[in-house]
């Protein structure tokens, strides 16, 4: 920066604009505390580094532009750069570095202040954005300080864009809500039983809370109980019937969860026949009938390495799988075809061979497992 140009800046407080319109248009200059030693000092406690770097860049450009013109003779030597001109130039350049956001946008920001009303966040706009306390968490909190602190860098969703008022409203609760919807969708795919807490009761059924989201259990999906009112504030196992994030609709069945406890019990090493229900990047879900399903993880399909499940399996494929584990309480099973391969890689080269020899390979596996258990007991090791 040209020292000569800086020395011409008037440091008198009377030169600083004080009109309401000027104060409004320079809300972003609130952290500026004083002029000293020919330069602006920024209060870095309430200003994150990227904002300070942006201000510095604008300020340098604002000062050096007229300075360069002066050096080339475009300005008269006696002409003095005043504070008003500097502010005007500064605001023009600052606009080039500003960002515009609209409702629904996801933005990253740094918290620079937290009080009883909420958190104040720097997202790169001219004015600070705010995240009210009620939008700081999906789990109700009374104060933003329970969730956020100064210098926290988080992702938010813009819930209100008010550039006329110079304010952007943010929500951290919406981000958490999206994560919860993804989680329940995954749980539904895995056909697991989850625990829901009854939060209200009406003539139509129960309202339960699962993964911080509220859903409905119709009366037709509640097992026989003497008094439904006794279920208030109690926890109960439920299974997913419907998930609609767009309509914010969750429907559960307590009856289906109760029926799953009566399902057949498998032992490790048992062979079951099923149909591919759905394909995922991490594996395939197999319908084993009678309301039972399990996950055939990508690592359990074959001894050979697989990068694309869809290239090996398709929805509707019939296959035999080995039971690796069963969680009756959650209605979840882990499956394998890898352990049924007569030769490593047969699931890729000849899946029909694996199907035909599944029982034979499972019997050999169970014999090896029994031998390993016997050896462990003989050595005094708890198996």
């Amino acid at each position: 920066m040209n020292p000569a140009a800086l020395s011409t800046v008037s440091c008198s407080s009377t030169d600083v604009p004080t009109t309401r319109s000027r104060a409004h248009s320079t809300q972003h200059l609130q952290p500026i505390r004083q002029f000293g030693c020919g330069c602006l000092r920024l209060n870095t406690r309430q200003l994150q580094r990227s904002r300070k770097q942006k201000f510095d860049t604008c300020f340098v450009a604002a000062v050096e532009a007229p300075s360069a013109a002066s050096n080339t003779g475009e300005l008269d030597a006696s002409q003095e750069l005043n504070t008003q001109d500097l502010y005007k130039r500064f605001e023009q350049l600052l606009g080039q570095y500003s960002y515009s956001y609209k409702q629904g946008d996801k933005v990253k920001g740094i918290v620079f202040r937290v009080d009883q009303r909420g958190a104040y966040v720097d997202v790169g706009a001219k004015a600070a954005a705010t995240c009210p306390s009620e939008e700081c968490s999906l789990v109700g909190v009374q104060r933003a300080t329970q969730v956020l602190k100064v210098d926290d860098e988080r992702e938010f969703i813009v819930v209100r864009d008010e550039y006329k008022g110079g304010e952007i409203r943010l929500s951290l609760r919406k981000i958490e809500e999206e994560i919860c919807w993804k989680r329940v969708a995954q749980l539904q795919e895995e056909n697991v039983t989850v625990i829901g807490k009854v939060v209200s009761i009406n003539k139509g059924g129960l309202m339960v809370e699962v993964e911080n989201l509220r859903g409905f259990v119709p009366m037709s999906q509640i097992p026989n109980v003497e008094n439904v009112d006794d279920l208030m504030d109690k926890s109960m196992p439920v299974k997913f019937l419907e998930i609609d994030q767009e309509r914010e609709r969750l429907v559960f069945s307590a009856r289906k969860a109760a029926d799953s406890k009566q399902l057949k019990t498998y032992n490790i090493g048992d062979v079951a026949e099923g149909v591919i229900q759905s394909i995922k990047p991490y594996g395939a879900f197999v319908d084993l009938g009678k309301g039972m399903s399990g996950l055939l993880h990508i690592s359990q399909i074959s001894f050979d390495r697989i990068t694309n499940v869809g290239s090996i399996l398709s929805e509707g494929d019939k296959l035999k799988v080995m039971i690796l584990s069963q969680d009756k309480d959650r209605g979840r099973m882990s499956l394998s075809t890898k352990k049924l391969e007569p030769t490593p890689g047969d699931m890729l080269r000849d899946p029909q061979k694996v199907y035909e020899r599944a029982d034979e390979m499972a019997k050999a596996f169970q014999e090896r497992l029994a031998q390993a258990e016997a050896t462990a007991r003989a050595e005094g090791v708890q198996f």
Side-chain angles (χ1 to χ4, degrees):
M1 185 182 294
N2 188 341
L6 286 175
S7 64
T8 62
V9 179
S10 174
C11 296
S12 172
S13 59
T14 58
D15 292 333
V16 179
T18 57
T19 65
R20 182 174 181 181
S21 60
R22 174 60 65 185
H24 175 73
S25 64
T26 58
Q27 291 179 27
H28 52 277
L29 298 178
Q30 292 297 326
I32 298 176
R33 297 303 187 202
Q34 65 178 27
F35 292 94
C37 302
C39 64
L40 292 176
R41 289 184 179 175
L42 301 179
N43 184 351
T44 55
R45 290 183 180 179
Q46 296 185 353
L47 205 60
Q48 48 109 329
R49 293 177 181 175
S50 61
R51 172 67 67 84
K52 181 178 184 302
Q53 184 178 7
K54 181 175 66 176
F55 281 1
D56 289 347
T57 303
C58 291
F59 181 71
V60 170
V63 173
E64 289 189 348
S67 175
S70 177
N71 292 337
T72 57
E74 294 179 11
L75 291 177
D76 188 78
S78 61
Q79 187 173 3
E80 187 177 88
L81 177 66
N82 59 47
T83 308
Q84 295 286 349
D85 292 335
L86 179 59
Y87 267 128
K88 184 176 180 180
R89 177 62 177 164
F90 185 84
E91 289 180 8
Q92 291 174 348
L93 291 170
L94 186 60
Q96 300 176 13
Y97 289 84
S98 295
Y99 300 91
S100 59
Y101 302 109
K102 62 182 183 296
Q103 187 173 338
D105 284 351
K106 290 184 179 179
V107 298
K108 283 188 176 181
I110 297 180
V111 177
F112 65 87
R113 180 185 172 190
V114 185
D115 59 25
Q116 67 274 16
R117 291 175 295 181
Y120 300 84
V121 187
D122 186 354
V123 294
K126 289 185 178 181
T130 59
C131 182
S133 294
E134 62 269 20
E135 291 292 335
C136 284
S137 177
L138 189 59
V139 180
V141 295
Q142 294 182 344
R143 301 189 195 89
T145 51
Q146 295 176 257
V147 180
L148 298 169
K149 61 181 184 298
V150 174
D151 292 333
D152 278 355
E153 183 174 6
R154 303 290 289 272
E155 185 177 44
F156 301 84
I157 286 182
V158 177
V159 293
R160 187 181 300 173
D161 183 1
E162 298 181 347
Y163 276 112
K164 291 183 179 180
E167 181 184 280
I168 301 173
R169 286 290 181 92
L170 305 176
S171 175
L172 190 58
R173 180 180 63 85
K174 291 286 187 182
I175 292 289
E176 295 177 350
E177 198 173 78
E178 281 193 0
I179 295 173
C180 290
W181 278 105
K182 290 179 181 178
R183 174 62 178 158
V184 296
Q186 180 183 356
L187 292 173
Q188 184 191 38
E189 288 177 354
E190 296 176 5
N191 192 33
V192 301
T193 299
V194 296
I195 302 300
K197 182 180 179 180
V198 179
V199 294
S200 67
I201 301 174
N202 56 47
K203 292 182 179 180
L206 311 175
M207 289 297 296
V208 298
E209 190 172 275
V210 175
E211 295 289 334
N212 294 316
L213 297 174
R214 292 194 174 188
F216 183 64
V217 182
M219 282 295 184
S220 61
Q221 295 298 324
I222 301 174
N224 295 329
V225 293
E226 293 183 3
N227 188 356
V228 176
D229 292 336
D230 292 339
L231 298 174
M232 186 63 188
D233 294 326
K234 300 291 181 61
S235 294
M236 62 188 306
V238 294
K239 278 186 173 290
F240 295 93
L241 286 183
E242 181 185 348
I243 294 179
D244 189 337
Q245 182 178 354
E246 187 175 342
R247 297 169 60 193
E248 297 187 350
R249 177 180 170 86
L250 272 177
V251 182
F252 299 100
S253 171
R255 186 180 296 279
K256 189 175 179 181
D259 292 343
S260 68
K261 292 185 177 181
Q262 309 300 323
L263 296 177
K264 177 181 177 181
T265 299
Y266 285 98
N267 296 316
I268 295 176
D270 285 353
V271 173
E273 188 171 320
V275 177
I276 300 295
Q277 195 173 34
S278 61
I279 302 293
K280 302 297 175 184
Y282 50 84
F285 287 97
V286 183
D287 183 4
L288 300 176
K290 297 182 179 180
M292 301 183 69
S293 64
L295 173 63
L296 177 59
H297 194 268
I298 187 172
S299 63
Q300 287 296 328
I301 296 177
S302 175
F303 278 100
D304 282 6
R305 184 171 180 270
I306 297 174
T307 57
N308 184 1
V309 179
S311 64
I312 308 299
L313 303 173
S314 302
E315 291 185 13
D317 284 355
K318 187 177 180 181
L319 75 170
K320 288 184 178 181
V321 294
M322 177 183 287
I323 309 299
L324 295 183
S325 66
Q326 181 181 18
D327 185 342
K328 289 190 67 177
D329 291 335
R330 302 188 68 186
R332 175 184 292 178
M333 286 192 292
S334 297
L335 312 174
S336 174
T337 52
K338 178 170 74 173
K339 297 188 182 300
L340 299 178
E341 289 183 321
T343 305
D346 279 346
M347 274 300 293
L348 281 66
R349 296 184 293 270
D350 191 356
Q352 184 61 30
K353 181 180 179 181
V354 178
Y355 182 89
E356 293 172 353
R357 297 187 58 184
D359 295 319
E360 175 190 339
M361 298 304 299
K363 183 178 180 180
F365 173 81
Q366 291 171 344
E367 290 175 354
R368 293 195 301 271
L369 182 61
Q371 184 177 1
E373 290 178 350
T375 301
R377 281 192 292 269
E379 295 176 354
V381 178
Q382 184 68 33
F383 191 79

